[in-house]
Amino acid sequence: MKQYECKRVENCFSSANIYEYRLPIKAKEEFIECFAPLGVIKYHKNFPRPCYQATLTDGTTVKGIIADSVIKVSFPDSNPQECKANFEIFLEDLLKQQTADRER
C-alpha cells in the first residue's frame, strides 16, 4: 500500500507531466534535504510562504511549501513514465525512513 496519494494536475499545457503528491508527513527541511544526493535544492525562505524547489539529475522537479504535506512534481517530457516510477520508488523508501524515524 502506498503511503501517499497521487493525482495528475490539469493545466493549460496538455503535454505537461505534473503530479500532486499528498504525503503522510509535513515536508520539513530534514525531509527536503534527502533530495540533495539526487540533484540541487533551492530554498526561498524569505517568501510569504517559504518554499523550495529540487531539480533532480533526470530532469524531474519537486516543488512545495516548507512544512506542508503536498508536493508538486514535474517529470521531463523525454521519459515521464520511467522518471515517475523511479521517483515513486525513492519517495516510498524515503517516507518509510521518515515515519520510522518519527516513531523512535
Side-chain angles (χ1 to χ4, degrees), residues 3-62:
Q3 295 190 46
Y4 56 84
E5 294 175 32
C6 176
K7 67 178 182 179
R8 188 174 182 137
V9 176
E10 297 298 324
N11 60 28
C12 58
F13 302 106
S14 62
S15 65
N17 299 293
I18 303 171
Y19 291 81
E20 178 180 282
Y21 290 82
R22 188 165 300 277
L23 310 176
I25 62 170
K26 303 238 183 242
K28 296 182 179 174
E29 286 192 48
E30 310 84 58
F31 174 83
I32 299 164
E33 284 299 319
C34 292
F35 291 104
L38 303 177
V40 177
I41 303 169
K42 292 183 184 176
Y43 288 98
H44 305 283
K45 294 181 181 180
N46 59 341
F47 285 15
R49 293 184 70 193
C51 60
Y52 63 94
Q53 177 176 328
T55 305
L56 311 185
T57 55
D58 68 357
T60 299
T61 303
V62 181

Side-chain angles (χ1 to χ4, degrees), residues 52-102:
Y52 63 94
Q53 177 176 328
T55 305
L56 311 185
T57 55
D58 68 357
T60 299
T61 303
V62 181
K63 297 180 184 180
I65 305 296
I66 297 172
D68 192 14
S69 61
V70 175
I71 59 174
K72 287 196 177 165
V73 184
S74 174
F75 299 103
D77 291 336
S78 60
N79 199 356
Q81 292 308 317
E82 183 178 337
C83 292
K84 182 177 183 289
N86 290 338
F87 175 78
E88 289 180 352
I89 290 168
F90 173 78
L91 182 61
E92 248 330 292
D93 290 343
L94 178 57
L95 290 171
K96 284 179 187 171
Q97 174 190 348
Q98 293 286 311
T99 52
D101 289 347
R102 279 187 9 206

